[in-house]
Amino acid sequence: TPTEVLKDFMMTDVKSGVTTMTLQAQEGRIYESRHIADVDAPRLVFYKLGKESSRLTAPLGRLQTETHDVDCWGGVTVVSADSSTLTTERLHYDPKTQRIFSNEPVRLEKPDSVTDGIGLETDPELKSVKIGRQKVHFKKRKTT
């Protein structure tokens, strides 16, 4: 049984006085003894140098209340400021390293290419991306 149930749950992660991530959810169920909060429909906004760098949405998530580590699952989408889009079934965000990880099949769509693979490590901006067993398909340029 949760210790607390909060509607419109919100949490902010701050490093050296700068916001690095915010998490909002329709509802958060806090389990104090386990140091976790289960959240419904989490929306994470990642920031770099004070500007929004990407947004994550998922059906379900879990926040470690002491470390601010976040796990999301059920069909996760991350969209970066430049419209690159990452989709996977499950991922983990580590606020200490400010990196996103997944061991699941992933798809990264960029304006010029689509990369499919299994396993991922990336920054929230989707700039420095490592994908395992990847297959890259380049999109054809439209000529006018």
Side-chain angles (χ1 to χ4, degrees), residues 1-140:
T1 308
T3 315
E4 267 184 274
V5 176
L6 300 172
K7 297 289 184 195
D8 299 321
F9 181 89
M10 185 162 181
M11 187 276 309
T12 302
D13 190 60
V14 178
K15 296 235 178 313
S16 305
V18 177
T19 299
T20 58
M21 182 263 297
T22 60
L23 182 153
Q24 292 181 302
Q26 294 171 357
E27 180 177 287
R29 292 170 300 287
I30 300 171
Y31 301 86
E32 282 185 22
S33 64
R34 293 169 48 205
H35 306 289
I36 61 169
D38 286 337
V39 292
D40 296 334
R43 295 176 314 281
L44 282 76
V45 177
F46 297 101
Y47 298 91
K48 183 165 187 174
L49 304 173
K51 291 185 178 175
E52 184 178 315
S53 62
S54 64
R55 290 179 170 262
L56 177 153
T57 56
L60 298 166
R62 174 170 284 171
L63 165 71
Q64 300 292 329
T65 56
E66 291 184 326
T67 63
H68 294 181
D69 281 53
V70 180
D71 289 286
C72 294
W73 62 90
V76 184
T77 302
V78 181
V79 180
S80 70
D82 71 356
S83 301
S84 294
T85 303
L86 168 70
T87 53
T88 186
E89 186 58 27
R90 172 182 288 270
L91 62 71
H92 173 82
Y93 172 67
D94 180 344
K96 218 176 282 166
T97 61
Q98 296 183 22
R99 303 289 288 170
I100 294 171
F101 301 92
S102 180
N103 293 321
E104 302 287 326
V106 297
R107 172 172 272 225
L108 179 61
E109 291 192 45
K110 293 191 169 200
D112 62 346
S113 64
V114 177
T115 305
D116 292 302
I118 298 176
L120 165 97
E121 179 181 340
T122 184
D123 53 5
E125 300 82 58
L126 305 177
K127 295 283 187 210
S128 169
V129 183
K130 292 180 195 169
I131 295 176
R133 295 183 13 206
Q134 62 179 283
K135 292 180 185 170
V136 180
H137 308 280
F138 290 97
K139 295 178 181 177
K140 291 181 180 171

